[in-house]
Amino acid sequence: MAEQQQKKKQLHLGAFMRPVSLHTGAWRYPGAYPDANFNFQHIKSFAQKLEAAKFDAFFMADHLAVLNMPVEALRRSHTVTSFEPFTLLSSLAAVTDRIGLVATASTTYDEPYHIARRFASLDHLSGGRAGWNIVTTANPDSARNFGKDEHKEHGERYARAREFYDVVTGLWDSFADDAFIRDVESGIFFDPAKMHVLDHHGAELHVRGPLNIARPPQGWPVIVQAGQSEPGRQLAAETAEVVFCAPRTLEAGKEFFKDVKGRLAAVGRDRDDMKLLPAAFIVIGDTVEEAQAKRLKLDSLVHYESSIASLSIALGHDASTLDPDGPLPTDLPETNASKSGREGVLKLAATEGLTVRQLAQRYGGYSGLAFVGTVETVADEMEQWIVQEGSDGFNVVFPFLPQGLDDVAEHLIPELQRRGLFRQDYEGTTLRDHLGLKRPSNKFFS
Amino acid sequence: MAEQQQKKKQLHLGAFMRPVSLHTGAWRYPGAYPDANFNFQHIKSFAQKLEAAKFDAFFMADHLAVLNMPVEALRRSHTVTSFEPFTLLSSLAAVTDRIGLVATASTTYDEPYHIARRFASLDHLSGGRAGWNIVTTANPDSARNFGKDEHKEHGERYARAREFYDVVTGLWDSFADDAFIRDVESGIFFDPAKMHVLDHHGAELHVRGPLNIARPPQGWPVIVQAGQSEPGRQLAAETAEVVFCAPRTLEAGKEFFKDVKGRLAAVGRDRDDMKLLPAAFIVIGDTVEEAQAKRLKLDSLVHYESSIASLSIALGHDASTLDPDGPLPTDLPETNASKSGREGVLKLAATEGLTVRQLAQRYGGYSGLAFVGTVETVADEMEQWIVQEGSDGFNVVFPFLPQGLDDVAEHLIPELQRRGLFRQDYEGTTLRDHLGLKRPSNKFFS
Ligand SMILES: Cc1cc2nc3c(=O)[nH]c(=O)nc-3n(C[C@H](O)[C@H](O)[C@H](O)COP(=O)(O)O)c2cc1C
Ligand SMILES: Cc1cc2nc3c(=O)[nH]c(=O)nc-3n(C[C@H](O)[C@H](O)[C@H](O)COP(=O)(O)O)c2cc1C
């Protein structure tokens, strides 16, 4: 039995935090801490619970502007204020021992020397637990916080991201792993023959180096990437060790998995060099109905007026004129917006029997992939995803905290462990160890 | 007696760390941890000892390039690798409760939106213990790590620093202190009327805002500044709440104190709105001779060939041709380099009876203001500095660690407390409380 369990493919689990729930109604849910987004004591307790549950990583989203929402919606969102990832994750590093710490950092609005230093420093501070979620920054409002009139064009952002990655990894390799001799007797602290001056001159970046910090314990912090477009997928294939994606169905997940993993051979990488972890919103109940009721209750906390725009976008049709408490009319005129988006809404309305208001609140709350059910039904679904090669695990989005996290940590995780799908304990100490990723060799020293 | 002590002017003490000692021989001193610069456990224990000794702040220097030294000297310097300040101080925030955390950050090579966010985040994480040491970056090699061929000219760096300060403080004031209502019932998280969009357009910077983080607990993290030049002093007068300076004698300290504090009235500030804390290297012994011997021993760990250049610069004369083990010739030819520098060296050679080698090692190790003696003689000197208005306290530079820190924490501090010159315990919780600085009002909301 134990032997059979050993053979099962293992799930990898991250916790996707911003810094707490993404769901805009979460702070109002009964038992939630309304100030949790900027109360370190709460976030510390969440991280420690995630570590006790053996999660691979605490994964922190980041945005370089307040969300680009109309003020009516913005003023209702707890995500308007948040910690900055390097500072938050460094604090968490000091009060945890094993869990990985993944920070989102932008290649469009920061400098490679800073990014390389901060991740190297976090990796040293945490004993090899850092990961970098490379983003090119989605929110165009960010440009104006960084002296630019216009957000850089999508293709240019990705070209810069690719070069930025080369520079940052080159800076991490400034010193050989054994450069630091620290010979008290002779007074030699390090061997200059083991220091590399990068002297990078590329299309976008000019960076001399060396970095003023020893090579990170992991060699390089784990590279994470969340692009979905063609250049995003290609960047992932060339660089990412964890891909954070957002398919809504197992079919879409399998397509993405096949596509992105299929690109690895051409760039000389193994399929196991990359782990695919889609975002998954998880709501647990004693029965499926109870879980669904929890979700409806959470969605009901999203303000209707501020969510109706999201539904209109998904539908490609102005939904604000519809009766909020009636069903979605099935004879809505066709539009030239996304056909699949419209069909998704119609299908959801039919399957769950939702009113227009409930649909709007779903889209204004969280509308991505969701597992809503008992520990058994949710574990069944998760297992199918890895058996059918839809993913290598998930980045869990908690609906509300602390309860949503406790449900997963105390009930779902033991069920996954019982099935042999998830570790009983950490086997190593670094984030690479947890994810089963190799330590990269140094580009300049063997 | 207790009443009389109450009336005494109080010393403020910071610990100046990089991240451990500045002295290039420190890592070789008996009992030192050679890897302390990148071993978090050691730095954590230092910070906790400093907090137990009631220091105002742990103050972290920072440089954006490896030191611009010849490789012969560089390879002997433990400061070649160091943690990055935001990550290190955020980790320390989680394992301390009261001590202030001052990070050095550059206005020349970073963005105000990032700087504002990171300090605001650190201030929230630490419960109001953050301080920002504004530097324009001294090391010209930094330019080439940030895509520039040339380091910006001194005056331009200061002009940008002044504007940068306005933007950062404006971003900290993006939200009124009472903007966050978090009314679960109505679902209103914050009041948009209490959010300010900065929309700054200046000579150097264009930053829209608002910051995506609530106003820091201290209103603004404490502003620290270390410029010594005319524009540096003027920037200090206009912005700094702590000035970190480097006079070598009490006379020089009094001149600086008078000059910089004298500039405050013209900009509408009180003398108490600014604390002047010179760097002070402190070596304690059971006797004065023992302390001096410790210092000579430490200096002897600085490699002669790599320190002789420092002596030559101070002397304005090539010292490498002199007999290392002989005395400094008193008939050295005059030069057109700094006359006062040359006289300082001659005086030091005579007073302490140092050989050429010992002089070189002093200049290659640490040659700023030093208090070397017993707890009584050192406390006497420190007291004179505040009585005679040379300073409001000191930023202590430890010669070596842990011993040099333990000597101060366990022996000097109790003597200062006995004399009523230093707090027995923290009276407040924030860095502003420790320093006796007012909480700034919000520029946009009263
Ligand atoms: C699950 C997930 C999480 C993301 N988190 C962030 C984030 O924290 N910050 C950010 O700027 N973008 C984030 N993004 C956006 C991606 O960086 C990227 O812009 C988006 O997936 C669109 O892909 P594309 O740019 O390749 O078209 C996230 C995307 C996904 C799918
Ligand atoms: C005690 C002290 C500590 C300093 N620490 C730093 C530092 O950590 N990083 C840095 O770039 N400059 C540092 N400086 C340099 C100052 O920022 C400044 O460049 C220097 O004092 C010269 O002053 P000026 O630029 O006004 O001429 C320090 C200066 C002093 C006096």
Side-chain angles (χ1 to χ4, degrees):
Chain A
M1 175 70 178
E3 218 168 76
Q4 203 182 333
Q5 287 188 359
Q6 288 302 317
K7 280 179 218 141
K8 276 202 184 172
K9 207 183 143 184
Q10 294 294 297
L11 273 170
H12 294 285
L13 295 178
F16 188 53
M17 314 287 275
R18 209 208 148 224
V20 296
S21 176
L22 296 186
H23 194 290
T24 54
W27 65 280
R28 300 177 67 193
Y29 199 82
Y33 310 129
D35 69 343
N37 251 13
F38 53 119
N39 182 322
F40 178 64
Q41 294 310 319
H42 293 317
I43 300 177
K44 174 176 157 179
S45 80
F46 301 152
Q48 290 174 337
K49 284 179 186 181
L50 290 166
E51 181 167 81
K54 317 301 176 196
F55 266 64
D56 292 68
F58 183 107
F59 188 116
M60 195 178 164
D62 195 46
H63 297 276
L64 296 174
V66 292
L67 302 178
N68 46 346
M69 296 176 165
V71 84
E72 168 66 19
L74 186 63
R75 73 192 177 120
R76 298 175 181 280
S77 172
H78 61 125
T79 61
V80 69
T81 181
S82 148
F83 290 107
E84 181 278 336
F86 287 108
T87 45
L88 178 63
L89 295 178
S90 302
S91 285
L92 291 177
V95 294
T96 55
D97 289 314
R98 284 286 186 279
I99 193 167
L101 301 162
V102 180
T104 295
S106 172
T107 54
T108 304
Y109 297 111
D110 213 325
E111 293 280 344
Y113 202 84
H114 286 314
I115 295 291
R117 278 186 88 203
R118 293 191 177 116
F119 279 110
S121 192
L122 180 59
D123 209 47
H124 281 286
L125 286 166
S126 63
R129 297 188 280 135
W132 172 24
N133 180 31
I134 301 184
V135 297
T136 65
T137 296
N139 183 343
D141 285 355
S142 308
R144 294 202 282 168
N145 291 331
F146 293 90
K148 308 278 191 298
D149 285 333
E150 296 274 325
H151 196 40
K152 233 186 224 296
E153 183 272 315
H154 190 271
E156 281 175 47
R157 295 209 305 276
Y158 273 107
R160 180 177 160 101
R162 186 63 186 78
E163 188 180 337
F164 201 109
Y165 163 86
D166 283 339
V167 174
V168 169
T169 52
L171 288 170
W172 285 333
D173 287 347
S174 292
F175 293 93
D177 286 315
D178 59 355
F180 294 88
I181 309 164
R182 301 194 297 263
D183 182 1
V184 170
E185 207 45 54
S186 67
I188 306 294
F189 194 77
F190 77 96
D191 178 358
K194 295 190 173 168
M195 176 174 88
H196 179 82
V197 179
L198 186 65
D199 223 358
H200 172 92
H201 295 281
E204 276 274 335
L205 301 165
H206 298 267
V207 181
R208 184 156 187 273
L211 201 66
N212 52 4
I213 181 161
R215 193 165 193 250
Q218 294 186 103
W220 305 349
V222 172
I223 304 294
V224 184
Q225 215 272 326
Q228 308 291 300
S229 60
E230 173 56 34
R233 290 175 185 213
Q234 189 56 27
L235 179 66
E238 293 174 20
T239 69
E241 300 176 292
V242 172
V243 173
F244 191 12
C245 49
R248 289 188 186 205
T249 62
L250 178 51
E251 285 317 304
K254 285 159 72 174
E255 180 281 321
F256 189 86
F257 190 99
K258 209 171 150 197
D259 175 72
V260 178
K261 293 234 180 182
R263 296 172 190 238
L264 292 173
V267 295
R269 302 180 63 198
D270 284 349
R271 286 173 76 86
D272 283 346
D273 293 345
M274 177 196 277
K275 309 295 170 191
L276 244 108
L277 307 182
F281 186 80
I282 299 185
V283 187
I284 302 286
D286 287 338
T287 61
V288 173
E289 293 68 32
E290 193 203 50
Q292 284 170 340
K294 281 187 185 180
R295 185 184 204 188
L296 281 177
K297 165 146 192 95
L298 173 63
D299 284 349
S300 78
L301 299 172
V302 177
H303 194 261
Y304 177 62
E305 264 86 49
S306 65
S307 65
I308 193 76
S310 312
L311 177 61
S312 301
I313 291 165
L315 207 50
H317 180 92
D318 179 7
S320 68
T321 57
L322 304 174
D323 172 13
D325 296 311
L328 187 71
T330 49
D331 58 348
L332 282 177
E334 272 291 349
T335 71
N336 49 18
S338 166
K339 230 177 115 66
S340 65
R342 180 173 177 279
E343 272 162 20
V345 183
L346 289 168
K347 198 171 152 208
L348 177 62
T351 324
E352 294 193 31
L354 302 181
T355 63
V356 168
R357 182 190 305 276
Q358 288 170 325
L359 282 166
Q361 287 169 329
R362 175 67 51 85
Y363 282 87
Y366 189 86
S367 61
L369 174 65
F371 300 134
V372 181
T374 64
V375 290
E376 291 79 17
T377 67
V378 172
D380 286 347
E381 289 191 88
M382 292 172 91
E383 187 160 6
Q384 280 311 305
W385 272 74
I386 58 167
V387 168
Q388 296 190 36
E389 302 207 321
S391 78
D392 297 297
F394 300 93
N395 267 306
V396 179
V397 177
F398 297 106
F400 36 74
L401 295 112
Q403 195 54 56
L405 190 157
D406 292 344
D407 289 341
V408 168
E410 293 164 19
H411 305 296
L412 179 62
I413 295 288
E415 174 64 18
L416 296 171
Q417 289 169 331
R418 207 186 54 72
R419 295 182 185 205
L421 291 168
F422 192 62
R423 68 175 68 85
Q424 301 275 351
D425 200 356
Y426 294 111
E427 281 166 26
T429 59
T430 70
L431 178 54
R432 286 188 179 278
D433 291 338
H434 309 338
L435 290 165
L437 294 168
K438 320 194 247 285
R439 186 174 190 273
S441 54
N442 190 308
K443 297 187 203 186
F444 312 114
F445 303 97
S446 58
Chain B
M1 176 69 179
E3 219 169 77
Q4 203 181 334
Q5 288 189 359
Q6 288 301 318
K7 280 179 219 140
K8 278 203 184 171
K9 206 182 143 185
Q10 294 294 297
L11 273 169
H12 293 284
L13 295 177
F16 188 54
M17 314 288 275
R18 210 210 147 223
V20 295
S21 176
L22 295 186
H23 194 291
T24 54
W27 65 280
R28 300 176 67 193
Y29 198 82
Y33 310 128
D35 70 342
N37 253 13
F38 53 118
N39 182 323
F40 178 65
Q41 294 309 319
H42 293 317
I43 300 177
K44 174 176 157 179
S45 79
F46 301 152
Q48 290 175 336
K49 285 179 185 180
L50 290 166
E51 181 166 82
K54 317 301 176 197
F55 266 63
D56 292 68
F58 183 107
F59 188 117
M60 195 179 164
D62 195 45
H63 297 276
L64 296 175
V66 292
L67 301 180
N68 45 346
M69 295 176 166
V71 84
E72 168 65 18
L74 185 63
R75 73 192 177 120
R76 298 175 181 280
S77 172
H78 61 125
T79 59
V80 69
T81 181
S82 148
F83 290 107
E84 182 277 337
F86 287 108
T87 44
L88 178 63
L89 295 178
S90 302
S91 285
L92 291 177
V95 293
T96 55
D97 289 314
R98 284 286 186 277
I99 192 166
L101 302 163
V102 180
T104 296
S106 172
T107 54
T108 304
Y109 297 112
D110 213 325
E111 293 279 345
Y113 202 84
H114 286 315
I115 295 290
R117 278 186 87 203
R118 293 192 177 116
F119 279 109
S121 192
L122 179 60
D123 209 48
H124 280 286
L125 286 166
S126 63
R129 296 188 281 136
W132 173 24
N133 180 31
I134 301 184
V135 297
T136 66
T137 297
N139 183 343
D141 285 356
S142 308
R144 294 202 282 168
N145 292 331
F146 293 90
K148 307 277 190 297
D149 286 332
E150 296 274 324
H151 196 40
K152 233 185 225 291
E153 183 272 316
H154 190 269
E156 280 175 48
R157 295 209 305 277
Y158 273 106
R160 180 178 159 100
R162 186 65 186 76
E163 187 180 338
F164 202 109
Y165 163 87
D166 283 340
V167 175
V168 169
T169 52
L171 288 170
W172 285 333
D173 287 347
S174 292
F175 294 93
D177 286 314
D178 59 354
F180 294 88
I181 310 164
R182 301 194 297 263
D183 183 1
V184 170
E185 207 46 53
S186 67
I188 307 294
F189 194 76
F190 78 96
D191 177 359
K194 295 191 173 169
M195 176 174 88
H196 178 82
V197 179
L198 186 65
D199 223 357
H200 172 93
H201 295 281
E204 276 275 335
L205 302 164
H206 299 266
V207 181
R208 184 156 187 273
L211 201 66
N212 52 4
I213 180 161
R215 193 165 193 248
Q218 294 186 103
W220 305 350
V222 173
I223 304 294
V224 184
Q225 215 271 327
Q228 309 291 300
S229 60
E230 174 56 35
R233 290 174 186 213
Q234 190 55 28
L235 179 66
E238 293 174 20
T239 68
E241 300 176 291
V242 172
V243 173
F244 191 11
C245 49
R248 288 188 186 206
T249 62
L250 178 50
E251 285 318 303
K254 285 158 72 174
E255 180 280 320
F256 189 85
F257 190 97
K258 207 171 150 197
D259 176 71
V260 178
K261 293 235 180 183
R263 296 172 191 241
L264 293 173
V267 294
R269 302 180 64 198
D270 286 348
R271 285 173 76 85
D272 283 346
D273 291 346
M274 177 196 277
K275 309 295 171 191
L276 243 109
L277 306 182
F281 186 81
I282 299 184
V283 188
I284 302 287
D286 287 337
T287 62
V288 174
E289 293 67 32
E290 194 203 49
Q292 284 169 341
K294 280 188 185 180
R295 186 185 203 189
L296 281 177
K297 167 147 190 94
L298 173 63
D299 284 350
S300 79
L301 299 173
V302 177
H303 195 258
Y304 178 61
E305 265 84 49
S306 65
S307 65
I308 193 76
S310 312
L311 177 61
S312 302
I313 292 167
L315 207 52
H317 179 92
D318 179 8
S320 68
T321 58
L322 304 174
D323 173 13
D325 297 311
L328 188 71
T330 49
D331 59 348
L332 282 178
E334 273 292 348
T335 70
N336 49 18
S338 166
K339 231 176 113 67
S340 65
R342 182 172 175 278
E343 273 161 18
V345 183
L346 289 168
K347 197 172 152 208
L348 177 62
T351 325
E352 294 194 31
L354 302 181
T355 63
V356 168
R357 184 191 303 277
Q358 288 171 326
L359 283 166
Q361 287 168 329
R362 176 68 49 85
Y363 281 88
Y366 190 86
S367 61
L369 174 66
F371 300 134
V372 182
T374 64
V375 291
E376 291 79 17
T377 68
V378 172
D380 286 346
E381 289 191 86
M382 293 172 90
E383 187 159 7
Q384 281 311 305
W385 272 74
I386 57 166
V387 168
Q388 295 191 36
E389 301 207 321
S391 80
D392 298 298
F394 299 93
N395 266 306
V396 179
V397 177
F398 298 106
F400 36 76
L401 296 112
Q403 195 54 55
L405 190 158
D406 291 344
D407 289 341
V408 168
E410 292 164 19
H411 305 296
L412 179 62
I413 295 289
E415 174 63 20
L416 295 171
Q417 289 169 331
R418 207 187 52 72
R419 295 182 185 205
L421 291 169
F422 192 63
R423 68 175 69 84
Q424 300 275 352
D425 201 355
Y426 294 110
E427 281 166 25
T429 59
T430 70
L431 178 54
R432 287 187 178 278
D433 291 339
H434 309 338
L435 290 165
L437 295 167
K438 321 194 247 283
R439 186 173 190 274
S441 55
N442 191 308
K443 298 187 202 186
F444 313 114
F445 303 98
S446 58

